[in-house]
Amino acid sequence: KQEVTQIPAALSVPEGENLVLNCSFTDSAIYNLQWFRQDPGKGLTSLLLIQSSQREQTSGRLNASLDKSSGRSTLYIAASQPGDSATYLCAVTKEASGSRLTFGEGTQLTVNP
Amino acid sequence: KAGVTQTPRYLIKTRGQQVTLSCSPISGHRSVSWYQQTPGQGLQFLFEYFSETQRNKGNFPGRFSGRQFSNSRSEMNVSTLELGDSALYLCASSLLTAQETQYFGPGTRLLVL
């Protein structure tokens, strides 16, 4: 059974810091990995999608890497801003299950002005 | 292009009642997935529909059901509500398969009393 773990569960940083969020998954047979952010009481916003054949994806101040063989992904946020405060979730799609996203528990990020 | 919409946004029901939630995907998207989010269990996959057919199903009891219409709009139904069904129900759509970027709606918050 695929399990996804995110560390740390919560993170508080001052504005301007660069930070790294971690995601690990137990079954390396994934099709892709996605990073989402969720604001309190809201739905999920897709940030980055990495196919299993890719090593990283970048969008603005965000960079996500994927090491499929070791079952790890990181989300790097450069020059953090208070508006980045949210819960960040990673999710994997297994080749066998096709459509199902298996989510981690999330990292709650607070960026202090 | 309008995003994924879900109605209603909030709902209060009592135990034993049934409820129907609606999801309208992004125009042109044919895959619709449903997820349940609770503080204790996190995000869990309910089911996925494509071209009016259920393509994948999570580990939920038969009280949870869904359907998709020819215009790709989807509904999910929960019969005989239990207190534990209180959750945020999220709908996600993607173009053809859920192995592409999935776009989430704002969710329907269901409270069962």
Side-chain angles (χ1 to χ4, degrees):
Chain A
K1 180 189 171 189
Q2 178 71 276
E3 292 184 1
V4 181
T5 305
Q6 291 187 246
I7 295 173
L11 184 63
S12 181
V13 300
E15 182 177 2
E17 267 204 12
N18 301 325
L19 57 100
V20 174
L21 307 181
N22 297 291
C23 172
S24 61
F25 43 95
T26 54
D27 188 343
S28 62
I30 65 167
Y31 194 86
N32 59 38
L33 182 144
Q34 297 183 53
W35 282 94
F36 297 89
R37 70 172 277 169
Q38 185 175 31
D39 294 284
K42 303 284 183 65
L44 278 62
T45 300
S46 177
L47 298 173
L48 290 163
L49 168 69
I50 311 177
Q51 303 294 350
S52 62
S53 58
Q54 297 176 317
R55 296 289 300 205
E56 66 178 297
Q57 282 285 346
T58 298
S59 176
R61 294 182 295 108
L62 306 179
N63 176 277
S65 68
L66 174 64
D67 185 341
K68 186 180 166 183
S69 60
S70 68
R72 292 179 184 176
S73 175
T74 62
L75 179 66
Y76 174 83
I77 302 177
S80 59
Q81 303 170 358
D84 295 330
S85 297
T87 295
Y88 289 80
L89 296 141
C90 70
V92 298
T93 303
K94 264 197 73 172
E95 292 163 332
S97 66
S99 57
R100 183 185 318 221
L101 281 171
T102 301
F103 283 88
E105 291 294 324
T107 294
Q108 187 173 359
L109 173 66
T110 303
V111 181
N112 301 299
Chain B
K1 212 180 237 188
V4 178
T5 59
Q6 293 186 246
T7 57
R9 294 293 312 280
Y10 304 93
L11 209 47
I12 300 175
K13 292 285 187 178
T14 56
R15 277 182 300 174
Q17 286 187 309
Q18 74 161 15
V19 67
T20 299
L21 311 182
S22 180
C23 171
S24 293
I26 292 172
S27 177
H29 284 194
R30 294 169 62 187
S31 170
V32 174
S33 299
W34 288 88
Y35 292 83
Q36 181 196 65
Q37 186 176 32
T38 59
Q41 298 296 318
L43 274 151
Q44 293 187 291
F45 173 80
L46 282 156
F47 28 65
E48 185 218 358
Y49 286 88
F50 180 81
S51 292
E52 301 177 65
T53 301
Q54 187 180 84
R55 190 156 67 172
N56 210 334
K57 189 178 188 302
N59 297 321
F60 278 82
R63 300 185 297 107
F64 292 80
S65 63
R67 59 178 176 168
Q68 187 180 34
F69 302 95
S70 58
N71 61 358
S72 293
R73 189 177 69 85
S74 177
E75 289 181 347
M76 68 163 281
N77 184 77
V78 188
S79 62
T80 320
L81 284 166
E82 299 177 0
L83 296 178
D85 296 333
S86 295
L88 180 66
Y89 289 88
L90 293 163
C91 162
S93 77
S94 62
L95 199 58
L96 288 175
T97 74
Q99 292 168 354
E100 303 157 336
T101 297
Q102 294 194 52
Y103 298 89
F104 281 77
T108 293
R109 186 163 296 281
L110 172 64
L111 177 61
V112 182
L113 302 176

